Amino acid sequence: MAYRETEKMRQRKAQARQRIIDCTYECVANGGFRSARITRIAGLAGVATGTIYRHFESREDLFAEIFRTATQREVDKVAEALDTDGNAAVRLEAALRQFAERALRGPMMAWALIAEPVDPKLEEERLVYRRAYAQLFEKAIRDGIDEGCIPDQDARQSSTCLVGAIAESLVGPLSPTLAGQITIADIDKNKLVDSIIGFCMQGLTGTRR
Amino acid sequence: MAYRETEKMRQRKAQARQRIIDCTYECVANGGFRSARITRIAGLAGVATGTIYRHFESREDLFAEIFRTATQREVDKVAEALDTDGNAAVRLEAALRQFAERALRGPMMAWALIAEPVDPKLEEERLVYRRAYAQLFEKAIRDGIDEGCIPDQDARQSSTCLVGAIAESLVGPLSPTLAGQITIADIDKNKLVDSIIGFCMQGLTGTRR
DNA sequence: ACAAGAAATGAATAATGATTCACTACTTAC
DNA sequence: GTAAGTAGTGAATCATTATTCATTTCTTGT
């Protein structure tokens, strides 16, 4: 016998894999999934196109992993914002703000995750993550109902509406056609976020603050 | 001289064009834009593929026309619902209901118009029509504010949230992966529509009814 | 240094459908 | 009936990229 996979090799491979992931991420954050070509990713990562396929089944698979990682990061941030002190309404407001503000800070990636037309497999992932957000919100709404700071309602339905309202409000500002040309001032961003949240909180609680 | 385009010919051409449109519509209503192949459309319409291109610049163009027509029909229905008697809140509620109920009645087409991943050109059309809905709602909200039945708020922002909340609430039920298998009972539909509207109206007015 | 294997390479291939265009079949005016 | 011009045809072409795989390069244990 001769060659045996060694720790050093395992690490080197893991490194290459990570570099591919990072470069894909960069490509997507730069122009969305559609414009992220395998050849370009390989070029950036400093490997041959064939090498990509030693690390990932297919382009779809690679993208799915990027999508999951990127979205999970966002979901976690929202979960974090929900897991602080204060009553449920306050915490929900913080979470909604977190969601919107982060999206506006990385608009192209946010657009890719929320609104870019993608292949069916990614679209499926997207539905999963929209549900994940909705479930976080749903839980908080239930808490709020128990606490008495949110009136009784169909928590599941309301959570879906929250996700939709935020996503829709962001799609316009995030769309690359617009976003490429227009730069959104910080003041506008704050105003945007405030008014989205105003609507959402009133939808939940019946009052704006 | 010899051949001159005559009325009869003009009509025949218009007929063929219409047949192509109808068949495309049928294809889309059946499986969305992605699965609507030119060859299939041509087959259904009883013409050669080349003939399609004597009537439309490109597949994209044909689809854009279908998209516009189909969406305009929906927008008109919503406008109609908004143009009845009653105060603005009541009319808005009727309009939201119209939107949601019609979508649930033709789920595949609604999905294609609202949520199917489509090419950039169609995606642009979609943004235009989402704005069209939002503008209708926005106008009604302003009316409501003037009338005093809706509290003062950022009408534009609220209208966007309405569109998003409804669209998001429908995406799940409309998604072909699910919708193909599960059939939504009328009772469920009614409950769904009621709870969407409950959230939306509270978002607008601060009360559920 | 060498043999046995694994990883990397990237030019060639494959797959998918939209689109073209040289040709045929019609229509019209005379 | 015929010439002039238009509409219709559909097999062949084209364009685009992801994916493959025969070959080369690198690693390892002896």
Side-chain angles (χ1 to χ4, degrees):
Chain A
M1 97 221 74
Y3 182 92
R4 237 331 126 84
E5 184 179 68
T6 178
E7 189 46 38
K8 179 183 147 200
M9 260 293 130
R10 226 184 323 276
Q11 280 188 6
R12 191 188 290 183
K13 276 201 284 178
Q15 248 175 12
R17 189 188 152 92
Q18 192 54 48
R19 215 167 47 249
I20 291 169
I21 288 177
D22 293 345
C23 293
T24 306
Y25 193 93
E26 195 190 320
C27 279
V28 173
N30 227 50
F33 287 100
R34 169 180 266 265
S35 79
R37 315 247 168 269
I38 290 288
T39 47
R40 178 152 168 58
I41 293 166
L44 279 178
V47 297
T49 60
T51 304
I52 305 270
Y53 290 88
R54 305 195 132 269
H55 293 279
F56 300 90
E57 269 301 305
S58 65
R59 177 183 132 111
E60 260 194 338
D61 263 42
L62 168 58
F63 282 5
E65 175 148 348
I66 302 305
F67 193 99
R68 273 194 296 268
T69 310
T71 317
Q72 190 61 55
R73 191 178 304 159
E74 299 304 310
V75 170
D76 288 346
K77 285 286 173 187
V78 168
E80 207 175 277
L82 274 172
D83 191 32
T84 51
D85 290 335
N87 72 37
V90 170
R91 291 183 287 123
L92 258 168
E93 184 171 333
L96 296 173
R97 196 174 290 279
Q98 181 83 205
F99 182 133
E101 282 178 351
R102 285 182 61 86
L104 289 170
R105 224 173 296 148
M108 182 64 88
M109 181 51 92
W111 173 75
L113 297 180
I114 294 173
E116 184 185 5
V118 292
D119 287 358
K121 186 165 180 183
L122 276 197
E123 187 65 25
E124 235 174 89
E125 297 281 342
R126 184 178 278 162
L127 288 183
V128 171
Y129 277 96
R130 290 202 162 204
R131 281 294 309 135
Y133 282 121
Q135 274 165 3
L136 285 179
F137 294 148
E138 185 180 341
K139 167 80 167 47
I141 293 170
R142 283 192 211 289
D143 289 351
I145 295 171
D146 290 348
E147 290 172 17
C149 64
I150 293 175
D152 192 37
Q153 60 195 280
D154 181 339
R156 166 132 191 200
Q157 182 55 48
S158 294
S159 68
T160 305
C161 287
L162 289 183
V163 172
I166 303 180
E168 180 74 19
S169 299
L170 294 175
V171 165
L174 293 180
S175 269
T177 21
L178 297 170
Q181 284 127 37
I182 306 164
T183 310
I184 312 158
D186 283 346
I187 301 159
D188 294 343
K189 282 187 195 171
N190 285 331
K191 240 187 92 191
L192 175 63
V193 173
D194 284 344
S195 55
I196 297 172
I197 288 176
F199 180 93
C200 288
M201 292 314 290
Q202 179 158 312
L204 287 171
T205 66
T207 56
R208 295 237 148 202
R209 196 148 294 266
Chain B
M1 97 220 77
Y3 181 91
R4 236 333 124 87
E5 184 178 68
T6 178
E7 190 46 37
K8 178 184 148 200
M9 260 292 131
R10 230 186 318 277
Q11 282 188 5
R12 192 189 290 183
K13 276 202 283 178
Q15 248 175 11
R17 189 187 153 92
Q18 193 54 48
R19 214 166 48 247
I20 291 169
I21 289 177
D22 293 345
C23 292
T24 307
Y25 193 95
E26 195 189 320
C27 278
V28 173
N30 227 49
F33 286 100
R34 169 181 266 265
S35 80
R37 315 245 168 271
I38 289 289
T39 46
R40 179 152 167 58
I41 293 167
L44 279 179
V47 298
T49 61
T51 304
I52 306 269
Y53 290 88
R54 304 196 137 269
H55 292 279
F56 300 90
E57 270 301 304
S58 66
R59 177 183 132 111
E60 260 193 339
D61 264 41
L62 168 58
F63 282 6
E65 175 146 349
I66 301 304
F67 193 97
R68 274 194 296 268
T69 311
T71 317
Q72 191 61 55
R73 192 178 305 162
E74 298 304 309
V75 170
D76 288 346
K77 285 287 173 187
V78 167
E80 207 175 277
L82 274 173
D83 191 32
T84 51
D85 290 335
N87 72 36
V90 170
R91 289 183 289 123
L92 259 167
E93 184 171 333
L96 296 174
R97 194 174 292 279
Q98 181 82 209
F99 182 133
E101 281 178 351
R102 284 183 61 86
L104 289 169
R105 223 173 298 147
M108 182 63 87
M109 181 52 90
W111 173 76
L113 297 179
I114 294 173
E116 184 185 5
V118 292
D119 287 358
K121 186 165 181 181
L122 275 197
E123 187 66 24
E124 236 174 87
E125 298 280 342
R126 184 178 279 163
L127 287 183
V128 170
Y129 277 97
R130 290 200 164 206
R131 280 294 309 134
Y133 281 121
Q135 275 165 2
L136 286 178
F137 293 149
E138 185 180 339
K139 167 80 167 49
I141 293 171
R142 283 191 209 290
D143 290 351
I145 295 171
D146 290 347
E147 290 173 17
C149 63
I150 293 175
D152 191 37
Q153 60 194 282
D154 181 339
R156 165 131 191 201
Q157 182 55 49
S158 295
S159 67
T160 305
C161 287
L162 289 183
V163 172
I166 302 179
E168 181 74 20
S169 299
L170 294 175
V171 164
L174 292 180
S175 269
T177 20
L178 298 170
Q181 284 127 37
I182 306 164
T183 310
I184 313 158
D186 284 346
I187 301 159
D188 293 342
K189 284 189 195 171
N190 285 331
K191 239 187 94 191
L192 174 63
V193 173
D194 283 345
S195 55
I196 297 172
I197 288 176
F199 180 93
C200 288
M201 292 314 289
Q202 178 157 314
L204 288 171
T205 66
T207 56
R208 295 241 146 201
R209 196 150 294 266

